Amino acid sequence: MAKHLLRTISLLYLLFLLAIPVGLVAWRTFGDGVGPFIEALSSQPALHALRVTLVVAVWAVVLNTVFGVGAAVLLVRHTFPGKRLFNALIDLPLAVSPVVVGLALILVYGSFAPVGGWLENLGVQVIFSTPGMVLATVFVSLPLVVRAVAPVLQELGEDQELAAYTLGAGRWRTFLRITVPGIRWALGYGIVLCLARALGEYGAVAVVSGRLVGQTQTLTLYVEERFQNFDQPAAFAAATLLAFLAIVTLLLTKLLRPKD
């Protein structure tokens, strides 16, 4: 009896919190057929917002993958002063509001900040441009690759790597031939999670982008801007596309997660 009650409560919770709202968005999107959906996403502002979203997400995934693998190896394979602090700092983006992240980046990389002013003198604008959006997205998705790879790396142990060293393999050859194949599924899982987080980021990007239509507007910002301007077909079409990308990401995470 208790099991059925808990199951019913859980299903109702998910139904009213997730299924019905997302279903209503899809229903409003395709209420007049597929034509308006394709037309809305074919407009120049929508295509530009999608392009900016993909550029920012790809850069964030690449940077977080390189950092995530390096940080995981550092945490699991090495001991150094401040290791616990470093480990705690990696989880900081999970506790800090994305809006606070955006504000902090403005204080460091804004035009009137020392670092930001110095970079602008060199011709590099960070805030209200793509680099600032990439930094914000990297920050909010920072822990995902690390936390996916580190447990698997610890589970693998060092035996195979030490054996490779004794046979004359260098560090990079051992890393590419032994370590990477051992963590490939966890790495793929972390990359997919990072990509999903990057595609759906709103708060930090909204602060550092300036929301410039046709310049620094991502797909999430495009949804808000279109909805506030009473262009509901475009807003619902972009929101449905984001939901579709989230569902695809969810399926990929299920496929990449090892059964054991």
Side-chain angles (χ1 to χ4, degrees):
M1 180 65 182
K3 180 177 67 174
H4 294 295
L5 179 61
L6 288 174
R7 184 182 303 173
T8 302
I9 293 174
S10 300
L11 290 175
L12 289 175
Y13 184 83
L14 293 175
L15 179 66
F16 286 98
L17 186 65
L18 295 176
I20 292 179
V22 174
L24 285 175
V25 171
W27 178 73
R28 293 291 296 271
T29 301
F30 298 107
D32 296 325
V34 182
F37 172 76
I38 298 177
E39 183 181 354
L41 293 180
S42 300
S43 66
Q44 186 61 33
L47 290 175
H48 186 273
L50 179 60
R51 190 181 308 116
V52 172
T53 301
L54 293 177
V55 169
V56 171
V58 168
W59 273 109
V61 168
V62 170
L63 293 174
N64 273 336
T65 299
V66 174
F67 171 79
V69 174
V73 172
L74 187 62
L75 288 171
V76 176
R77 295 286 188 259
H78 301 278
T79 301
F80 55 92
K83 180 177 179 179
R84 290 187 177 181
L85 178 61
F86 179 73
N87 191 29
L89 286 176
I90 289 176
D91 290 329
L92 184 63
L94 299 176
V96 177
S97 168
V99 176
V100 176
V101 172
L103 178 60
L105 290 175
I106 289 178
L107 293 177
V108 176
Y109 298 105
S111 300
F112 300 102
V115 177
W118 177 70
L119 289 174
E120 287 205 8
N121 290 333
L122 296 177
V124 179
Q125 182 180 355
V126 178
I127 302 301
F128 305 144
S129 64
T130 302
M133 299 164 68
V134 171
L135 284 177
T137 308
V138 166
F139 188 99
V140 298
S141 57
L142 182 70
L144 298 176
V145 175
V146 183
R147 296 311 178 204
V149 172
V152 177
L153 196 60
Q154 190 168 10
E155 176 102 9
L156 288 175
E158 299 183 73
D159 293 344
Q160 295 184 47
E161 295 175 3
L162 293 176
Y165 293 148
T166 59
L167 293 174
R171 289 189 176 274
W172 279 110
R173 188 178 182 85
T174 301
F175 177 76
L176 294 175
R177 292 293 187 91
I178 304 297
T179 307
V180 172
I183 63 172
R184 63 184 184 277
W185 297 115
L187 180 59
Y189 182 68
I191 289 174
V192 170
L193 287 179
C194 183
L195 178 62
R197 185 70 179 88
L199 290 174
E201 173 53 29
Y202 171 81
V205 169
V207 176
V208 301
S209 67
R211 311 185 189 198
L212 303 177
V213 178
Q215 298 182 46
T216 60
Q217 188 181 55
T218 61
L219 208 56
T220 53
L221 300 178
Y222 175 80
V223 171
E224 180 197 34
E225 185 263 331
R226 288 293 84 200
F227 190 79
Q228 290 181 345
N229 286 280
F230 304 102
D231 187 2
Q232 293 190 356
F236 286 131
T240 300
L241 178 60
L242 286 171
F244 173 76
L245 293 174
I247 292 172
V248 171
T249 303
L250 178 64
L251 293 176
L252 287 175
T253 57
K254 295 298 182 183
L255 292 174
L256 290 172
R257 178 179 292 176
K259 293 182 180 180
D260 55 354

Coordinates of all heavy atoms in Angstrom, one line a residue, residues 77-110:
R77 N 45.0 11.6 -8.8 CA 46.3 11.0 -8.9 C 47.4 11.8 -8.1 O 48.5 11.2 -8.0 CB 46.7 11.0 -10.4 CG 45.9 10.1 -11.2 CD 46.2 8.6 -10.9 NE 45.5 7.7 -11.9 CZ 44.4 7.0 -11.6 NH1 43.9 7.2 -10.4 NH2 43.8 6.3 -12.5
H78 N 47.1 12.9 -7.6 CA 48.2 13.7 -6.9 C 47.7 14.3 -5.6 O 46.5 14.5 -5.3 CB 48.6 14.9 -7.8 CG 49.1 14.5 -9.2 ND1 50.4 14.1 -9.4 CD2 48.4 14.4 -10.4 CE1 50.5 13.8 -10.7 NE2 49.3 14.0 -11.3
T79 N 48.7 14.5 -4.7 CA 48.4 15.2 -3.4 C 49.2 16.5 -3.4 O 50.4 16.5 -3.7 CB 48.9 14.2 -2.3 OG1 48.2 13.0 -2.4 CG2 48.6 14.9 -1.0
F80 N 48.6 17.5 -3.0 CA 49.3 18.8 -3.0 C 48.6 19.7 -1.9 O 47.5 19.5 -1.5 CB 49.2 19.5 -4.4 CG 47.8 19.6 -4.9 CD1 47.0 20.8 -4.7 CD2 47.2 18.6 -5.6 CE1 45.7 20.9 -5.1 CE2 45.9 18.7 -6.1 CZ 45.2 19.9 -5.9
P81 N 49.3 20.7 -1.5 CA 48.8 21.7 -0.5 C 47.5 22.4 -1.1 O 47.6 22.9 -2.2 CB 49.9 22.6 -0.2 CG 51.1 21.9 -0.6 CD 50.8 21.0 -1.7
G82 N 46.5 22.5 -0.3 CA 45.3 23.1 -0.7 C 44.4 22.3 -1.6 O 43.5 22.8 -2.2
K83 N 44.6 21.0 -1.5 CA 43.8 20.1 -2.4 C 42.3 20.1 -2.0 O 41.4 20.1 -2.8 CB 44.3 18.6 -2.2 CG 43.5 17.6 -3.1 CD 44.2 16.2 -2.9 CE 43.4 15.2 -3.8 NZ 44.0 13.9 -3.7
R84 N 42.0 20.1 -0.7 CA 40.6 20.2 -0.2 C 40.0 21.5 -0.7 O 38.8 21.5 -1.0 CB 40.6 20.0 1.3 CG 40.9 18.6 1.8 CD 40.7 18.5 3.3 NE 40.9 17.1 3.7 CZ 40.8 16.7 5.0 NH1 40.4 17.6 5.9 NH2 41.0 15.5 5.3
L85 N 40.7 22.6 -0.6 CA 40.1 23.9 -1.0 C 39.9 23.9 -2.5 O 38.8 24.4 -2.9 CB 41.1 25.0 -0.6 CG 40.7 26.4 -1.0 CD1 39.4 26.8 -0.4 CD2 41.8 27.4 -0.7
F86 N 40.8 23.3 -3.3 CA 40.6 23.2 -4.7 C 39.4 22.4 -5.0 O 38.6 22.7 -5.9 CB 41.9 22.6 -5.3 CG 41.8 22.5 -6.8 CD1 41.9 23.6 -7.7 CD2 41.7 21.2 -7.4 CE1 41.8 23.4 -9.0 CE2 41.6 21.0 -8.7 CZ 41.7 22.2 -9.6
N87 N 39.2 21.3 -4.3 CA 38.1 20.4 -4.5 C 36.8 21.1 -4.2 O 35.8 20.9 -4.9 CB 38.3 19.1 -3.7 CG 37.3 18.1 -4.0 OD1 36.8 18.0 -5.2 ND2 36.9 17.3 -3.1
A88 N 36.8 21.9 -3.1 CA 35.6 22.6 -2.8 C 35.3 23.7 -3.7 O 34.1 24.0 -4.1 CB 35.8 23.2 -1.4
L89 N 36.3 24.4 -4.3 CA 36.0 25.5 -5.2 C 35.4 25.0 -6.5 O 34.7 25.8 -7.2 CB 37.4 26.2 -5.5 CG 37.9 27.1 -4.4 CD1 39.3 27.7 -4.8 CD2 37.0 28.3 -4.1
I90 N 35.7 23.8 -6.9 CA 35.1 23.2 -8.1 C 33.6 23.2 -8.0 O 32.9 23.4 -9.0 CB 35.7 21.8 -8.4 CG1 37.1 22.0 -8.8 CG2 34.9 21.1 -9.5 CD1 37.8 20.7 -9.1
D91 N 33.1 22.9 -6.8 CA 31.6 22.9 -6.6 C 31.0 24.2 -6.3 O 29.8 24.3 -6.2 CB 31.3 21.9 -5.4 CG 31.6 20.5 -5.7 OD1 31.5 20.1 -6.9 OD2 32.0 19.7 -4.8
L92 N 31.8 25.3 -6.3 CA 31.2 26.6 -6.0 C 30.1 27.0 -7.0 O 29.1 27.6 -6.5 CB 32.4 27.6 -6.0 CG 32.0 29.1 -5.6 CD1 31.5 29.1 -4.2 CD2 33.2 30.0 -5.8
P93 N 30.2 26.8 -8.3 CA 29.2 27.2 -9.2 C 27.8 26.6 -8.9 O 26.8 27.1 -9.3 CB 29.7 26.7 -10.6 CG 31.1 26.7 -10.4 CD 31.4 26.3 -9.0
L94 N 27.8 25.4 -8.2 CA 26.5 24.8 -7.8 C 25.8 25.5 -6.7 O 24.6 25.4 -6.5 CB 26.8 23.3 -7.4 CG 27.4 22.4 -8.5 CD1 27.6 21.0 -7.9 CD2 26.5 22.3 -9.7
A95 N 26.6 26.3 -6.0 CA 26.0 27.0 -4.8 C 25.7 28.5 -5.1 O 24.9 29.1 -4.4 CB 26.9 26.9 -3.6
V96 N 26.4 29.1 -6.1 CA 26.3 30.5 -6.3 C 25.3 30.7 -7.4 O 25.2 30.0 -8.4 CB 27.7 31.1 -6.8 CG1 27.5 32.6 -7.1 CG2 28.7 30.9 -5.7
S97 N 24.4 31.8 -7.2 CA 23.4 32.1 -8.2 C 24.1 32.6 -9.5 O 25.1 33.3 -9.5 CB 22.5 33.2 -7.6 OG 21.7 33.8 -8.7
P98 N 23.6 32.1 -10.6 CA 24.1 32.6 -11.9 C 24.1 34.1 -12.1 O 25.0 34.7 -12.7 CB 23.2 31.9 -13.0 CG 22.7 30.7 -12.3 CD 22.5 31.1 -10.8
V99 N 23.2 34.8 -11.5 CA 23.1 36.2 -11.6 C 24.3 36.8 -10.9 O 24.9 37.8 -11.3 CB 21.8 36.8 -11.0 CG1 21.8 38.3 -11.0 CG2 20.6 36.2 -11.8
V100 N 24.7 36.3 -9.7 CA 25.8 36.7 -9.0 C 27.1 36.5 -9.8 O 28.0 37.3 -9.8 CB 25.9 36.0 -7.6 CG1 27.2 36.4 -6.9 CG2 24.7 36.3 -6.8
V101 N 27.1 35.4 -10.5 CA 28.3 35.1 -11.4 C 28.4 36.1 -12.4 O 29.5 36.6 -12.7 CB 28.1 33.7 -12.0 CG1 29.2 33.4 -13.0 CG2 28.1 32.6 -11.0
G102 N 27.3 36.5 -13.1 CA 27.4 37.5 -14.1 C 27.8 38.8 -13.6 O 28.7 39.5 -14.2
L103 N 27.3 39.2 -12.4 CA 27.8 40.5 -11.8 C 29.2 40.5 -11.4 O 30.0 41.4 -11.6 CB 26.9 40.7 -10.5 CG 27.3 42.0 -9.7 CD1 27.1 43.2 -10.6 CD2 26.4 42.1 -8.4
A104 N 29.7 39.3 -10.9 CA 31.1 39.2 -10.6 C 32.0 39.3 -11.8 O 33.1 40.0 -11.8 CB 31.4 37.9 -9.9
L105 N 31.6 38.8 -12.9 CA 32.4 38.9 -14.1 C 32.4 40.3 -14.6 O 33.4 40.8 -15.2 CB 31.8 38.0 -15.2 CG 31.9 36.5 -15.0 CD1 31.2 35.7 -16.1 CD2 33.4 36.1 -15.0
I106 N 31.3 41.1 -14.5 CA 31.3 42.5 -14.9 C 32.3 43.3 -14.0 O 33.0 44.1 -14.5 CB 29.9 43.0 -14.8 CG1 29.0 42.5 -15.9 CG2 29.9 44.6 -14.9 CD1 27.6 42.9 -15.8
L107 N 32.4 43.0 -12.7 CA 33.3 43.7 -11.8 C 34.7 43.4 -12.2 O 35.6 44.2 -11.9 CB 33.0 43.3 -10.4 CG 31.6 43.7 -9.8 CD1 31.5 43.2 -8.4 CD2 31.5 45.2 -9.9
V108 N 35.0 42.3 -12.8 CA 36.4 41.9 -13.2 C 36.7 42.3 -14.6 O 37.8 42.9 -14.9 CB 36.7 40.4 -12.9 CG1 38.1 40.1 -13.4 CG2 36.4 40.1 -11.5
Y109 N 35.8 42.0 -15.5 CA 36.1 42.2 -16.9 C 35.3 43.4 -17.6 O 35.3 43.5 -18.8 CB 35.8 40.9 -17.7 CG 36.6 39.7 -17.2 CD1 36.1 38.7 -16.4 CD2 37.9 39.6 -17.6 CE1 36.8 37.7 -16.0 CE2 38.7 38.6 -17.2 CZ 38.2 37.6 -16.4 OH 38.9 36.5 -16.0
G110 N 34.6 44.2 -16.8 CA 33.9 45.3 -17.4 C 34.8 46.4 -17.9 O 36.0 46.4 -17.6

